[in-house]
Amino acid sequence: MSTAKKTVTAAVIVIGNEILSGRTRDANLQFLAENLNKLGVQLTEARVIPDIEATIIDAVNEARVRFDYVFTTGGIGPTHDDVTSACIAKAFGVKLIRHPDADALLRSHYKPEDITDARMKMADVPEGAQLLENPVSKAPGYCLENVYVLPGVPRIMQAMFELFKYQLVGGAEVLSRSVASFTPEGKMAAPLSALQDAHPDLEMGSYPFIKDARGGSAIVIRGTDSASLDAAADAVRQIIRDLGGEPFDDDP
Amino acid sequence: MSTAKKTVTAAVIVIGNEILSGRTRDANLQFLAENLNKLGVQLTEARVIPDIEATIIDAVNEARVRFDYVFTTGGIGPTHDDVTSACIAKAFGVKLIRHPDADALLRSHYKPEDITDARMKMADVPEGAQLLENPVSKAPGYCLENVYVLPGVPRIMQAMFELFKYQLVGGAEVLSRSVASFTPEGKMAAPLSALQDAHPDLEMGSYPFIKDARGGSAIVIRGTDSASLDAAADAVRQIIRDLGGEPFDDDP
């Protein structure tokens, strides 16, 4: 049996009209999914929502009670469409205040002639928020209780994540095994379903692919117990061989 | 003024553990965002949720009353983790039935020895559903009222979309103009905010970029009225010139 370490969950809220209009392809979701999972934090839901105040407030308030952690990306820059911080403050029912450390940080970063009201807006955070360092462009992110408010630009968000990730308290790390073959998933489905029933502690998924004009599928098994994962992966290899196929480790 | 054609909205529900674990990067959201917008259907929210029955049912039922169209991707294949169709049936309170046309389609597609119970599961749809043709691998998608149920494999989903898109009834098409410059968004923010206030019919967003080690931003203006968009784009160019910059049309 796997250890009884509890499952720690997270939601990501991607805020930005540019993703919903198709102008920009989101790059933050996959980064957060992968890196949270490595820390034992399981991404359980993601939403992409527009820069609309009521929508942001509702999404944040719904997520922060349902999940252990909430990560928002986008909407904390200097322009009029950057409304995330005002919404987070309203979601928590606290004031939006000028944070003295963020104020000092921005004033030392910009030349005096480049300091504008719009830029200084990036020093406004909900009361009680703790700043998160931005090693790329200084304007900080922040966290308030279990909500982490991050910028939308991927390389800034990622650099920030690398610095604050040590504060996150994860549960058991989710490990995975992948077994691929050119045996079509429609042929493996029945024995695979029986195998899933025999391993309720594991989660098995089948992902079809096409390589060199041949169809195949990768069976991905996820769980927290190594021995159980290895046993299930061996069983998948046997299913493939029983169907006349040859398993390999990495899907293309 | 723009025509009074109504706004038609859509939600996308991406169903799949593989996106939330970071194993796979979603490619369907951007395609649907872009192509729905071209049809005058505005993507207003997107969710990524796991293959969990209650979660899928709740997400579908919430979305189908809030939006004109709902598009789900993923979970309609032959394996045990493909639970979408059963969930759609439960969400609508109808039976899951073997569709005779889908049954015939799959039986003519597979060699007799390749017909398995698992594969034939792909002919099961909620009662009342209308099939959507799959020109790539035959197993159909379907729609039920305003909910379109599509496969997760991008090229199959896209091929299906190209065939059924003519059934979608869009509103006014959302057009856009983009004006880029190396003028930092922090300097443009105040006049841009005033311009937004003067054009409540348009939506303006500012998207920073870095090119050749120089920071700049693209101002994207969206709306349904060409003349209004052109006037606003001219005003943005003037704002850039007033700040000593040089506007260009395409951001890098």
Side-chain angles (χ1 to χ4, degrees), chain A:
Chain A
M1 271 305 294
S2 56
T3 58
K5 218 170 163 187
K6 90 179 188 82
T7 300
V8 177
T9 62
V12 167
I13 302 175
V14 175
I15 300 169
N17 293 343
E18 70 279 19
I19 313 286
L20 292 167
S21 72
R23 180 181 185 275
T24 304
R25 185 175 175 189
D26 170 68
N28 291 330
L29 181 55
Q30 196 191 17
F31 174 87
L32 287 170
E34 231 177 335
N35 287 279
L36 288 171
N37 274 310
K38 281 184 202 160
L39 299 172
V41 177
Q42 292 189 46
L43 181 59
T44 310
E45 187 176 303
R47 282 197 202 193
V48 185
I49 59 173
D51 310 322
I52 295 173
E53 189 172 289
T55 308
I56 299 172
I57 294 171
D58 286 352
V60 168
N61 275 339
E62 198 184 316
R64 70 190 180 98
V65 296
R66 286 179 56 209
F67 304 100
D68 295 312
Y69 290 107
V70 178
F71 300 88
T72 73
T73 66
I76 59 169
T79 55
H80 67 277
D81 55 330
D82 290 306
V83 297
T84 300
S85 291
C87 295
I88 300 285
K90 286 185 185 169
F92 278 87
V94 300
K95 276 188 246 172
L96 191 69
I97 57 152
R98 178 67 45 102
H99 194 292
D101 295 351
D103 185 274
L105 204 61
L106 293 178
R107 286 186 190 279
S108 68
H109 177 61
Y110 293 115
K111 289 179 221 152
E113 65 271 28
D114 286 343
I115 293 174
T116 60
D117 285 350
R119 279 181 166 151
M120 293 313 294
K121 194 179 84 163
M122 295 191 284
D124 292 342
V125 302
E127 193 157 27
Q130 288 188 292
L131 301 186
L132 300 172
E133 187 183 344
N134 168 355
V136 178
S137 56
K138 299 302 164 195
Y142 55 87
C143 64
L144 185 56
E145 295 180 12
N146 61 339
V147 179
Y148 284 71
V149 179
L150 310 177
V153 179
R155 53 191 201 91
I156 304 180
M157 188 280 283
Q158 291 171 15
M160 205 178 269
F161 184 89
E162 295 303 333
L163 295 179
F164 76 72
K165 67 181 183 186
Y166 305 99
Q167 339 181 337
L168 303 176
V169 180
E173 188 188 357
V174 176
L175 308 169
S176 69
R177 301 286 184 274
S178 180
V179 182
S181 74
F182 287 109
T183 305
E185 60 171 9
K187 290 203 152 184
M188 302 182 62
L192 208 61
S193 181
L195 185 67
Q196 170 73 81
D197 291 344
H199 288 273
D201 60 321
L202 303 178
E203 174 198 297
M204 299 180 197
S206 172
Y207 305 104
F209 60 76
I210 290 176
K211 194 196 177 186
D212 304 335
R214 292 177 77 189
S217 67
I219 309 304
V220 177
I221 315 165
R222 304 178 76 236
T224 54
D225 186 68
S226 272
S228 182
L229 283 165
D230 288 335
D234 282 343
V236 172
R237 288 185 196 97
Q238 194 56 51
I239 288 171
I240 292 165
R241 289 194 190 99
D242 289 348
L243 289 165
E246 188 54 50
F248 45 97
D249 279 351
D250 291 313
D251 53 298

Side-chain angles (χ1 to χ4, degrees), chain B residues 13 21-22 47 51 79 89 109 122 152 159 161 163 196 219 223 245 250:
Chain B
I13 302 176
S21 73
R47 284 197 201 192
D51 310 321
T79 55
H109 177 61
M122 293 190 287
F161 184 89
L163 294 179
Q196 170 74 79
I219 308 305
D250 291 313

Side-chain angles (χ1 to χ4, degrees), chain B residues 65-236:
Chain B
V65 296
R66 285 178 57 209
F67 303 100
D68 295 312
Y69 290 107
V70 178
F71 300 88
T72 74
T73 66
I76 59 169
T79 55
H80 66 277
D81 55 329
D82 289 306
V83 298
T84 300
S85 291
C87 295
I88 300 286
K90 286 186 185 170
F92 278 87
V94 301
K95 275 189 248 172
L96 192 69
I97 58 151
R98 176 68 42 105
H99 194 292
D101 297 350
D103 185 274
L105 204 62
L106 293 177
R107 286 186 192 279
S108 69
H109 177 61
Y110 293 116
K111 289 179 219 154
E113 64 271 28
D114 286 343
I115 293 173
T116 60
D117 285 350
R119 277 179 168 152
M120 293 312 296
K121 195 178 84 167
M122 293 190 287
D124 293 343
V125 302
E127 195 159 22
Q130 288 187 291
L131 300 186
L132 301 173
E133 188 183 344
N134 168 355
V136 178
S137 55
K138 299 303 164 195
Y142 54 88
C143 64
L144 186 56
E145 295 180 14
N146 61 339
V147 179
Y148 284 70
V149 179
L150 310 177
V153 178
R155 55 191 199 92
I156 303 179
M157 188 280 282
Q158 292 171 16
M160 204 178 271
F161 184 89
E162 295 302 334
L163 294 179
F164 76 72
K165 67 181 184 187
Y166 306 100
Q167 335 182 340
L168 303 176
V169 180
E173 188 188 359
V174 176
L175 308 169
S176 68
R177 301 288 184 272
S178 181
V179 181
S181 73
F182 287 110
T183 306
E185 60 171 8
K187 289 203 154 184
M188 301 182 63
L192 207 61
S193 180
L195 185 67
Q196 170 74 79
D197 290 343
H199 288 272
D201 60 322
L202 304 178
E203 174 199 298
M204 300 180 197
S206 172
Y207 305 105
F209 61 77
I210 291 176
K211 194 194 177 186
D212 304 335
R214 292 177 76 188
S217 66
I219 308 305
V220 177
I221 315 165
R222 302 178 77 236
T224 54
D225 186 70
S226 272
S228 183
L229 283 165
D230 288 336
D234 282 342
V236 171

